[in-house]
Each structure stands twice: as C-alpha cells, then as structure tokens.
Amino acid sequence: MKKNKYFLFLIPLLVIALVFLLRFAYTSYKFLKQPVLPITHAVPANTVVVLRSGSIADFIAKSRASGLGEVLQASASGLSFNTLASMIDSLALHDVMLQDIFDNNEFILSVVPSSDGNPELLISVKIVGKSIRSLQRSIISALNDKNITNSKADNEFPDIFLLSNGKKSVWYYLHNGIFTLGFNPVLVSKSRQAINSAHPFTNQRNFAKLNAASGKKVDAVIFIRNDLLFDYSAQSSGKDEVEIGDFFNSWSALDMTIAKDRLLLSGFTMADNQNWMIGQNPVQPEVVKAFPADFAVAVSMSIENIDIFLQQRNVKDTLKLTYKSSTSHGSGSDIFRVNDHLKSWMGKNVSLLTDVRHGNRKDPLLLIESKNADSARMALEPFINFSAVPLPKMRTNGITDRLFGDIFSTRDSVFCMFSANHLVLSPSAELINLYSSRLTESGSTGKSQIPTELLNERSNLLIYFSASDIKNAVRSDNEKRWTRYLQACEHIILQYSGGDSMIYTQGSIVFNPLLTIAQADLALQKEETLAQQDPAAEKEKAEIAVEEEEKDEKVSVKFEMALKPVVLSGQKGGQKVIAIPDANSVTLFDDEGKKLWQFKCKGKPNGDIFEVIPASTGQRNYLIITDSHFHIVGTDGQEAKNSPYKLPGGNAGNASVFDYDRKRDYRLVYPGKDGKIYNITLAGRELPDWSRPELQLPIEQPLFFRTTGKDYLLFPYSDGKLRIADRRGKTRISIPDNFRKSLNAGVFENKTNSKGLFMTASKDGQLAYISANGVISYSSFENFGNDPWFVYTDFDGDNSMDFLFAGNGRVGIYSRMKKELAGYTKRNAEFGSPLIYNSASGVQWIAIREIGSGDIVLFKEKDKKPTVLKLKSQSDPVIFNPGGRKPEVMITIRNGKPVFTDIK
C-alpha cells in the first residue's frame, strides 16, 4: 500500500518534470532553429555610413596601430573610439566567450542621424549559437560593477534591454543572430524594427550590388550614402559651393587598407543611367599640376568624349545667351555655337576650385583646359568685354553651368584670363590675380598641394578636399559634429573612372601629421583649437638611445651577448612596452625609452617573459621565468599574491607557456635540472597525468601544435634529436634515431604541400618534412653550412609560404618553387635568430643580426636587397608598433642599454 502511495505521489512530479523538459527542449529548438540573418538587416533605412569588418578586435588593433585611431577618436560623438576600444578590451580580458566573439565574428558600425540631426553610432555583431541570457551573464560578470542593472526597455520589442549603472546607459538586443547595441534607445528600436522590415537594408538593390562586389579579405569595407553625408556635412556651408549630389545620389562601397599615415580606398560607386561618366573612358588628370596651393575643394572632370558628354546632358549645338548691355543699360542676346566656340579649342579637363582663405568664400575658380590659348581667345572674343576692369569679363552668365552642369554655375558674370593651358573664370578678380601670381612663383610654395603619388593614373572625376580648410569653413554645430573627423586628416582624395553604372572608385585619406592621440583627446574634451606641434619633431627621432654613443668607438671583433628585449602589452589599450632582462631583474620601458619600473627576481632570469590573462582574474600579467622560480607580475610592476612559485626540479633551459584549449588555463612546460621535463599550472602544481619524460640531453624551447584534430608537444634536443609527444608527455610520433635537426632551425606546421605534418631544416641545411608516421623526406636548397637558421613565412605577401635559410655567411629567402626572393652575403658572417615582423599595413620585415659587427640586416617585403643598419647591437632585435602614425620601432641592446631606431 505504501508503495502505491509513493507511486501516486511521484506521478505529478514526473509530469511536471516532463513538461519542464519539453518546454526547455522546445525553447532550445526555437533558439537553434532561429534563422541567422545577414548582419546588415540591422541597419536603419536613413543610415549615412556603414563600416563592416571581420573582427572587432582586429579592426581596433589596426586602427590603434595607425593614424586611423586618431581619426576615429577625433570624430567621436558621444562615446569616443578610445572609450569604446577600452570597453571591448576589458570585456575580452574578463570573459573567454566574449573574447572569441570579438576576435572572430563579423561586425558593422552604422552612423545614423538622430532626431536632431547629430551623428550617432550603432554597433552590430553576428553571433551564432549564443543565447541572450549567456551574453548577459558574460557581459555583467565582465563589467564587475555592483551598480549595474539590466532590464527590459521596449514595450514594442521585448527583446530590447537596458544596461545601466546610473551614469551610463546602453540599449541592446539579440535577434536572428544579430547582437546590436547603441546609446540612443530610439535608434536601437529602429534597428530592431529594420530586421522585421519587408524591405530590409540588405536587399536594397544598389546596396546589395555593392555589398556583393566588396572585398571579403580586407581590413574593412566602408559604405557611404554620398548625398546624405554631404547634406549633413554641409547643411548651410557648402551647398552654394559644391553640390556633390549632382554626380551621385547613391552608395559607394570602398575596401579599406589601413596604413600608418593614410587610409587607402578602392571599390565602386553606383550611378544612375543619366550619369555623364557612363560610356566615357578614363583620362589622365594632368590638370592637377595647374591647381594652386590655396584652395579647399577641387572637383575636376576629365572628359574623354565631349560629344557623348554633351549628348547625355541634352546640350544642343546652338545656345542662346542673354546679357545686359553696359552702354544702353538694356539687354541683348548672343548665339553660342558649341562646335565653333567650344570644341575648337577645349581640352579634356574642366575643374572647379573653391578657396576659403581669400575673397568671397562662395566664389569658385573655374579652369577649362585649352589646346591653344590663341584659339580659345579668338573663339570666345564675341562673348568677352575686354575693356572691363580690373580684368576682361564675360558679357553673359550661365555658359559654364549649361555646358557642364549646375556644379559649375556662378552667382554673377565672371572675369576671365587666358593662361597657356587654361581658360580661367571666376566672379572674383582677386582669385584670378592670386592664381596668376601663383603660376609665376618659383619653387613649390604656390603649387598644388595634392600628393600626386596617390593619384590613379587615369580617371574621369577627381574630388579633393583640404581637410583643415573644410573644417574651418563649417558653421553650424551639426556640421561640426559631422565633420569633426577632418581635424585628424590632411588630404581627402577620391577618383572615379567611368564605364558602366558601377563606377570604379579609388581614393585615400592622408592623416594629419601634426595630430597625436593626446591632442585628439584634448580636442574632443574641450572642443578647442588643436595644439600644433613642430612638424620637424617627427623627423628628429632617427635613433633614441638612453645614453649618447661615442662616434669614434671601435667595433669589437665579437660583442658579448645580451638577452633579447621582449615586447609586451601595456596597461592602456594598444600600448606597447619593452621588457629588458638582465642578471637578476627585469626593467620595463615605454615605447620612447622611458623607464617605467624595475622588478627584482628570485633567481637568474633566462629571458623568457610571457603575457597571461588567467580566467580567474581577467587581469593581464607578465610571467617572468628564472632558473629557479617564476613570478607573476602585474602591468604596474606589482607582484601577484602567492608569487613567486618555485619551479619543481629547477629550470635548466627555456620554458614555454601553452593554453591548450584557449580557456586561459595555462600550462608552463620546461626542462628540469634533474633530467626531467615538467608541466605545471600557474599555481605551481604539477599535472597528475603528466608522465615526466626523461631528458636525454638539454632541450630547446618546447613547442605546441594542434593539427589534424590532435595535440603535439615537440621537444628539440641540444644534439639535434627531436621528440614529439602528446599533451601527457607520451610519444606520439617516433622520429628515426639518425635524424638530426639543425640546432638553429624552427619547426613549423607544413602549409605548402602534403609531404608531412611538420617541416624544419636538417643539420646539414636541407629542408626536412616530418610525416605523421615519422617518415622524413628532404628537399635541397643552397649550401648554408651546418645548423643554419630556418624560418617558414610568407615574405612577399602572395599567400604562399616561403623559406628562409641563414648560415655560412649567407641569407637566402626562397619561394615554394625555390626562386630566390631576396638575399644577403657577407663572407664568414655568423647570424643571430631571424625576426619576422608583420606591420599594421601588411608589410613584412625580416631582421637578422650579424653577430661579429652587431649590424642588423633588414629585409622589407618584395625588396630583393636588404638595408644594413650599423647599430652595433649586442642582442637580436625586436620590432614593435608604438601606435598611431608613429613609425615602427626596432629595439636593440648596446652597452646594456636599449636603443630605439625608427624604421620605415
């Protein structure tokens, strides 16, 4: 009877549990089956600019490493770039899932006008397989703020939430695989509404075409709604001067290549069927050489076929022009015949220049290229009053706009001048006289300031902005907010090449050489004039040493070796610092050589310093290894609690730190002084399942690979033997006993062919492939002697790996087809470890120290001959990017002191 009662009591519980499980399964099914929409579905209809990139973290890193970070910081409205980037850094540090999202997921940044016309930001990230609850838990945990509240924020869309700490608020949602956040609730709601729209942004015909044609493996792609951007940027200042909308009322999609001092743009612009460039072939824009220095805007048309151009504009051969008579105060008319009065003398270029420094800022300067000045004068003589003062004047107004478009219209009749190659027109005689004087000036003072090396050889339309002049010309507060980024720019150049409705577009934004991040911050906070620096200051730092060198110092036969500097991440986002180990301490310097702190070590440092971010703390630390202990030190130089930790067995060589599963659960692997290999945690505890492999001889630095679904630990011995084990220390691949690896060769995962899992160099300098079964196969190159250096890298940037060998007085870099890409020879020279450095702009440098002299041999991508830097270095070099427009810096050691050398 009791059993029946228990059974009857369990039935309701089982039913409730079953209902709960079914509900959970249904909810999970709905979540997993929810369609993942294109990320651009989250873009509101009135968006002005969309920036797309494959990774938030990668985009932030590249921006910080170039002048783009300064542009973004200077242009911030509301939340600054530095604040946003620091927030991303903090979240990624504290949570592995968020770090994975920021590192690997596509994102877009949308610039949308608010209700009062100010630019606002929306950030959207593609997220697959994550629930809103897991994201909320990770974000709130990572922010670690007791004052944070999280609540539903929108009645219409219950999946919009508000995250606030009482001072700052952010609204966000996750829907159909799109996570969007913003700082304006109305715009976040519009973004959420856009996802369910019957006509989402993604499907707009012009945008869809450009999106499909845009680059997929580029730094970023920027989509610009040209007419809206111009409207907001020049609501009251520029409309009377340049109506860009005459050319484009649609989108441009431009692939971005982020360089140190400029942003390179390449892509397409949509044009309607009436656009004059359709059917035109690109022309060489020679007219640029005739531009004077003092102008803010240049718009230059290069017309290859004037007949097609005029036909598209419906310009008849005969035009009736009216004018006011200066003698009778009446009016009259002239007949302008295009064939006789224009085509007979006109060249291919028509340009408009706007000068904001002289005369009436609304007065343009027009340049019409002439094939012959005398022919132009004779053809136009009936339409010119040569007795007008101070210059000859056209009797009628309206010729230029009727021929070439509204952009070339003038408010009044124009003065004119015939130069050797141009008809010059302007309502302002002052501008024409200024232009004439500039033409006759010697030197480069009055000449065009457009950097011609950035120009495409041929185009049909050139648009140029002198950024500082435009910024100074804007009037309203809204215009200033939309053009704030200009203070971080010097030149903006766009070129358009005709053909069909997708017009090839190329351009560049040259960053302001006088602006630094600090100044951008100051300008953002105080909204006042930028503090100007001496332009020469950037050039002065060719080499910064802690102490002055003696010019007559003799080069020793061989320098005493110093431990190699180590480049680390600093306390601030994007900051780089340099650690210099010595006999019993580690000293940290900033990127300009200023000493930050010095840490005294327990034991002798061996040069191994690693960055770790333990999952338990989410704080960046430095792991400093000595011969007896390891220290965990904060970026501020303070040692962590319970540190230092004694190394079991002591340390007999170089150590490695591995994060096997990328969960920040680190392992420290090193050779013990007792003849065993150790694998311990950052708490100093040995792993219970580690087999402690016996050391036959001292080993070089251990290596870890994960490939073909398996883990491999590689232990190179000091006699050239190689042991390959699993993560428990047991043999995974048996290597033949007679194989000897070069003592100076790295071991790499093979990405060239299927000859083996790994590749290295043999003791006699051959390329050696190691298969999963331990079979060794060889390929021969030149004679680099015994134990050469070997590096596997894509030197020339063609997405195919190349081979570097160094030894026997020779450095050679070869393609997979064994073609020599670059080389260097010095008789009897010995070389240090090659350094491979990939710059922010994608250029690769390889730096190798010649040990006898201390010279640094520096190879730059695709350059066959290296540069030799006479630095007398006692250590192998390191290279780092100090951020912003500052050039990359090489660090070497001389007399125990770091030497900082700019490289370009």
Side-chain angles (χ1 to χ4, degrees), residues 511-623:
F511 306 134
N512 184 350
L514 302 182
L515 184 70
T516 65
I517 280 287
Q519 288 175 313
D521 288 339
L522 186 64
L524 185 64
Q525 295 167 5
K526 298 183 178 181
E527 294 289 340
E528 62 186 22
T529 306
L530 289 171
Q532 296 296 316
Q533 295 179 339
D534 180 3
E538 286 293 323
K539 299 178 181 178
E540 287 177 359
K541 197 185 77 171
E543 180 173 309
I544 302 175
V546 174
E547 62 182 27
E548 285 293 319
E549 304 175 14
E550 293 181 15
K551 294 182 179 179
D552 59 349
E553 183 176 351
K554 295 180 180 179
V555 180
S556 59
V557 176
K558 192 168 181 178
F559 286 111
E560 179 184 350
M561 278 291 292
L563 291 175
K564 185 177 180 178
V566 181
V567 177
L568 302 165
S569 298
Q571 286 183 295
K572 299 178 181 178
Q575 179 190 24
K576 295 299 180 184
V577 293
I578 301 90
I580 309 289
D582 57 27
N584 59 5
S585 66
V586 172
T587 305
L588 203 75
F589 297 87
D590 69 10
D591 57 23
E592 294 186 342
K594 178 184 176 183
K595 181 178 175 181
L596 299 176
W597 47 258
Q598 187 173 40
F599 181 83
K600 297 290 184 182
C601 298
K602 196 164 187 178
K604 184 178 180 180
N606 69 345
D608 292 333
I609 305 174
F610 307 97
E611 283 186 38
V612 293
I613 307 170
S616 57
T617 65
Q619 299 292 325
R620 190 185 308 277
N621 291 287
Y622 306 139
L623 199 66

Side-chain angles (χ1 to χ4, degrees), residues 795-808:
F795 172 68
D796 57 2
D798 65 351
N799 295 317
S800 177
M801 300 297 281
D802 305 310
F803 312 100
L804 180 150
F805 293 87
N808 196 28

Side-chain angles (χ1 to χ4, degrees), residues 285-401:
E286 290 285 348
V287 69
V288 172
K289 298 175 183 177
F291 290 174
D294 297 327
F295 65 94
V297 178
V299 178
S300 183
M301 298 194 306
S302 298
I303 305 168
E304 186 260 345
N305 191 314
I306 188 65
D307 292 320
I308 293 177
F309 175 82
L310 295 174
Q311 184 179 357
Q312 280 187 320
R313 289 193 40 76
N314 293 318
V315 177
K316 307 299 182 184
D317 180 60
T318 302
L319 301 179
K320 186 177 181 180
L321 305 176
T322 60
Y323 63 91
K324 290 183 179 180
S325 172
S326 59
T327 56
S328 61
H329 303 287
S331 61
S333 63
D334 283 328
I335 300 300
F336 187 93
R337 292 182 175 83
V338 173
N339 279 328
D340 298 333
H341 299 132
L342 179 70
K343 292 182 184 179
S344 61
W345 60 269
M346 182 185 158
K348 295 184 181 299
N349 295 288
V350 182
S351 306
L352 175 145
L353 309 177
T354 299
D355 186 340
V356 296
R357 304 181 197 176
H358 304 90
N360 188 326
R361 62 187 300 276
K362 291 185 178 182
D363 288 335
L365 186 74
L366 305 182
L367 302 179
I368 304 176
E369 185 182 20
S370 64
K371 292 179 282 190
N372 183 282
D374 292 335
S375 297
R377 178 188 290 268
M378 289 177 60
L380 295 175
E381 189 172 4
F383 310 97
I384 299 175
N385 178 6
F386 285 95
S387 62
V389 290
L391 290 172
K393 196 170 189 179
M394 300 294 291
R395 294 199 304 166
T396 183
N397 188 30
I399 300 179
T400 52
D401 51 317

Side-chain angles (χ1 to χ4, degrees), residues 63 68 117 146 273 319 409 467 557-558 623 750 763 795 843:
S63 299
L68 181 59
K146 295 179 180 179
N273 292 330
L319 301 179
S409 65
V557 176
K558 192 168 181 178
L623 199 66
N750 180 14
K763 185 174 183 64
F795 172 68
V843 175

Side-chain angles (χ1 to χ4, degrees), residues 118-264:
N118 288 327
E120 297 274 2
L121 297 181
L122 285 174
I123 301 166
S124 298
V125 186
K126 182 177 282 189
I127 295 179
V128 181
K130 303 286 190 299
S131 68
I132 187 63
R133 290 181 180 176
S134 65
L135 280 172
Q136 287 170 337
R137 284 195 300 269
S138 292
I139 292 172
I140 293 171
S141 173
L143 291 175
N144 194 26
D145 187 341
K146 295 179 180 179
N147 297 318
I148 284 181
T149 60
N150 186 66
S151 58
K152 291 189 176 183
D154 194 295
N155 293 328
E156 183 180 359
F157 299 108
D159 54 0
I160 295 181
F161 293 86
L162 167 63
L163 199 65
S164 177
N165 65 357
K167 296 179 181 178
K168 295 181 179 179
S169 298
V170 61
W171 288 261
Y172 67 93
Y173 67 81
L174 174 64
H175 192 77
N176 289 108
I178 303 173
F179 178 72
T180 297
L181 64 86
F183 312 97
N184 184 320
V186 175
L187 297 184
V188 173
S189 183
K190 282 186 177 182
S191 171
R192 175 63 183 83
Q193 187 177 7
I195 291 181
N196 293 341
S197 169
H199 305 286
F201 192 86
T202 310
N203 297 342
Q204 290 183 17
R205 188 173 65 90
N206 285 345
F207 180 84
K209 279 187 176 182
L210 291 171
N211 192 29
S214 63
K216 303 300 183 285
K217 294 183 178 181
V218 293
D219 292 338
V221 179
I222 187 167
F223 300 88
I224 303 170
R225 179 69 183 271
N226 297 289
D227 52 343
L228 289 183
L229 180 60
F230 183 76
D231 284 346
Y232 284 110
S233 301
Q235 291 169 352
S236 60
S237 295
K239 292 239 179 216
D240 295 330
E241 297 152 33
V242 181
E243 184 56 69
I244 299 296
D246 275 4
F247 294 109
F248 305 108
N249 288 298
S250 184
W251 287 90
S252 293
L254 303 173
D255 298 344
M256 295 169 53
T257 301
I258 303 171
K260 262 287 178 187
D261 60 346
R262 66 196 60 182
L263 190 64
L264 303 178

Side-chain angles (χ1 to χ4, degrees), residues 889-901:
V889 176
M890 177 186 291
I891 307 171
T892 51
I893 302 296
R894 187 175 182 197
N895 298 327
K897 305 291 184 180
V899 177
F900 292 67
T901 306

Side-chain angles (χ1 to χ4, degrees), residues 571-734:
Q571 286 183 295
K572 299 178 181 178
Q575 179 190 24
K576 295 299 180 184
V577 293
I578 301 90
I580 309 289
D582 57 27
N584 59 5
S585 66
V586 172
T587 305
L588 203 75
F589 297 87
D590 69 10
D591 57 23
E592 294 186 342
K594 178 184 176 183
K595 181 178 175 181
L596 299 176
W597 47 258
Q598 187 173 40
F599 181 83
K600 297 290 184 182
C601 298
K602 196 164 187 178
K604 184 178 180 180
N606 69 345
D608 292 333
I609 305 174
F610 307 97
E611 283 186 38
V612 293
I613 307 170
S616 57
T617 65
Q619 299 292 325
R620 190 185 308 277
N621 291 287
Y622 306 139
L623 199 66
I624 302 174
I625 314 297
T626 74
D627 60 352
S628 59
H629 291 74
F630 72 90
H631 297 267
I632 300 177
V633 181
T635 55
D636 58 357
Q638 299 300 309
E639 189 156 23
K641 186 179 179 181
N642 299 325
S643 178
Y645 297 91
K646 189 173 182 179
L647 291 169
N651 179 20
N654 289 108
S656 292
V657 173
F658 304 127
D659 180 12
Y660 290 132
D661 300 313
R662 297 182 180 179
K663 294 181 178 179
R664 300 178 183 169
D665 186 16
Y666 300 97
R667 299 290 181 264
L668 177 60
V669 181
Y670 62 95
K673 294 178 180 178
D674 57 358
K676 294 179 171 60
I677 300 175
Y678 285 86
N679 190 337
I680 65 174
T681 69
L682 294 195
R685 293 191 290 268
E686 294 186 60
L687 298 180
D689 58 350
W690 179 251
S691 64
R692 278 198 196 176
E694 294 283 342
L695 280 171
Q696 300 169 353
L697 289 165
I699 66 166
E700 301 167 21
Q701 198 160 30
L703 304 169
F704 172 73
F705 294 93
R706 175 167 291 165
T707 183
T708 63
K710 296 179 180 178
D711 293 340
Y712 298 86
L713 273 171
L714 279 67
F715 301 103
Y717 286 92
S718 60
D719 67 345
K721 287 186 176 182
L722 183 66
R723 178 187 176 95
I724 302 180
D726 62 17
R727 61 196 293 177
R728 291 181 174 85
K730 296 179 180 179
T731 298
R732 170 146 274 168
I733 298 178
S734 295

Side-chain angles (χ1 to χ4, degrees), residues 804-821:
L804 180 150
F805 293 87
N808 196 28
R810 174 99 173 101
V811 179
I813 304 172
Y814 303 89
S815 71
R816 61 181 296 176
M817 305 307 294
K818 298 188 179 181
K819 175 185 176 183
E820 183 173 304
L821 302 176

